Amino acid sequence: MAYETLIVEIEDYIALIKLNRPEALNALNSKMLGELATVLQAADANDKVRCIVITGSEKAFAAGADIKEMAEQSFVDAYTANLFGGISDAILEIRKPIIAAVSGYALGGGCELAMACDFIIAADTAKFGQPEINLGVIAGFGGSQRLTRFVGKSKSMDMHLTGRNMDAAEAERCGLVSRVVPAKSLIEEAMKAATKITEKSLITAMAAKEAVNRSYETTLREGLLFERRLFHSMFATEDQKEGMAAFLEKRTPQFRDR
Ligand code: HXC
């Protein structure tokens, strides 16, 4: 299917979603957000997809929400349209792993989109920021909540209050991104990571994602119990039998998602 603002390729069980509004540095407008939610939901339901990668261009993952589209909006417009609520909720419902492959600017909504993915692989050119304060607004797609959980209060406050950018090295140091790679090999590295994930049991990968995400939602004690119960339930799968048998027989496991 053709999209106006996205290029989508599905190959070898990976859905590669490329944000594609180069004229506006991939600024997130309502068309793109609607298409992104649709594509993510379709990928989640597609048996030919076991991992999702979201990326942008070399210059920009996404330079934020589309300022031209927002400039004249009133409170009533934003509230009734639930501005950014749709994608924010939709991405939480995606059960397959999502990697953000970030090159260049990931600002405002772009930084927030990357953080809403399961982990971020950054090019050495990546720049992250929450510059909304310069526009007279604040983060609206999770920035004040997720950035704070990822990097702690002090740095999150710094980013939100000064509106400064963080480069890839700082982002790696403070735990915002999982790794930094040379810009020219970003997609290759992201696809390698995605391929590793496609080789796992999808059930186990989804359970691991669910368990890690739960750590943001609950107390340590509840989270530990949730993890333990999920861990116990893994023993009901054929893939647990296969994974452990393969280890003992010194061979590669053949997972069947059962
Ligand atoms: C609309 C944007 C845009 C944006 C860039 N463009 N960012 N259009 N919304 N967020 C457009 C420019 O207007 C310009 O179009 C073209 O993309 C190229 O941008 P330039 O500014 O000419 O490029 P450059 O000089 O290289 O500067 C890059 C930049 C700068 C530093 C990233 O574009 C910038 O500061 N952008 C805004 C970043 C920002 O404030 N993001 C947060 C948005 S608010 P023309 O037609 O002029 O050539 C937000 C709210 C989130 O995200 C809360 C809810 C999600």
Side-chain angles (χ1 to χ4, degrees):
M1 185 165 165
Y3 297 93
E4 203 179 289
T5 64
L6 305 174
I7 297 170
V8 181
E9 288 165 18
I10 297 177
E11 214 180 303
D12 297 333
Y13 295 99
I14 301 166
L16 175 63
I17 303 172
K18 189 168 188 289
L19 309 177
N20 187 38
R21 292 189 69 219
E23 72 286 0
L25 301 184
N26 291 332
L28 306 166
N29 63 4
S30 45
K31 183 76 189 174
M32 187 189 270
L33 295 173
E35 290 190 341
L36 187 56
T38 302
V39 168
L40 287 171
Q41 283 155 354
D44 214 31
N46 185 342
D47 289 344
K48 294 263 177 274
V49 176
R50 302 166 71 82
C51 187
I52 299 164
V53 176
I54 303 181
T55 195
S57 68
E58 217 177 296
K59 180 163 183 193
F61 177 74
D66 191 309
I67 300 168
K68 271 186 207 139
E69 198 177 73
M70 290 187 297
E72 295 305 322
Q73 290 204 18
S74 65
F75 162 77
V76 173
D77 296 333
Y79 185 78
T80 45
N82 194 18
L83 189 59
F84 273 86
I87 186 68
S88 187
D89 292 345
I91 204 162
L92 283 176
E93 297 297 322
I94 304 302
R95 301 187 68 205
K96 292 175 182 169
I98 311 175
I99 301 172
V102 174
S103 180
Y105 295 109
L107 303 180
C111 185
E112 295 171 291
L113 173 61
M115 290 192 291
C117 297
D118 295 319
F119 64 97
I120 302 173
I121 299 180
D124 49 12
T125 57
K127 289 173 205 66
F128 298 89
Q130 299 289 162
E132 288 92 340
I133 196 162
N134 299 330
L135 301 166
V137 289
I138 68 163
F141 177 16
S144 65
Q145 306 304 299
R146 288 199 175 97
L147 189 63
T148 309
R149 282 164 162 83
F150 293 166
V151 308
K153 177 183 162 188
S154 189
K155 197 179 282 285
S156 179
M157 281 288 190
D158 177 0
M159 303 297 292
H160 283 97
L161 293 176
T162 67
R164 77 172 174 92
N165 291 348
M166 193 195 283
D167 65 17
E170 184 178 0
E172 187 177 34
R173 258 195 328 272
C174 68
L176 176 58
V177 308
S178 73
R179 39 181 136 155
V180 177
V181 300
K184 61 176 179 354
S185 48
L186 175 69
I187 297 299
E188 190 190 326
E189 292 296 328
M191 295 307 264
K192 264 197 232 164
T195 301
K196 272 199 190 304
I197 294 169
T198 65
E199 290 164 357
K200 316 298 180 204
S201 161
L202 184 58
I203 301 186
T204 323
M206 292 196 313
K209 168 169 172 159
E210 217 181 332
V212 174
N213 279 335
R214 186 54 70 105
S215 70
Y216 283 110
E217 309 285 346
T218 191
T219 61
L220 179 62
R221 201 178 179 89
E222 284 300 316
L224 290 171
L225 183 61
F226 182 81
E227 178 197 73
R228 201 177 320 139
R229 292 292 177 250
L230 257 184
F231 166 69
H232 293 160
S233 68
M234 297 287 101
F235 289 84
T237 67
E238 291 176 17
D239 286 343
Q240 173 268 328
K241 300 289 174 292
E242 169 60 12
M244 294 193 182
F247 176 82
L248 295 173
E249 292 160 17
K250 301 187 189 306
R251 60 174 176 82
T252 307
Q254 300 293 318
F255 292 122
R256 297 171 61 221
D257 304 335
R258 289 156 198 249

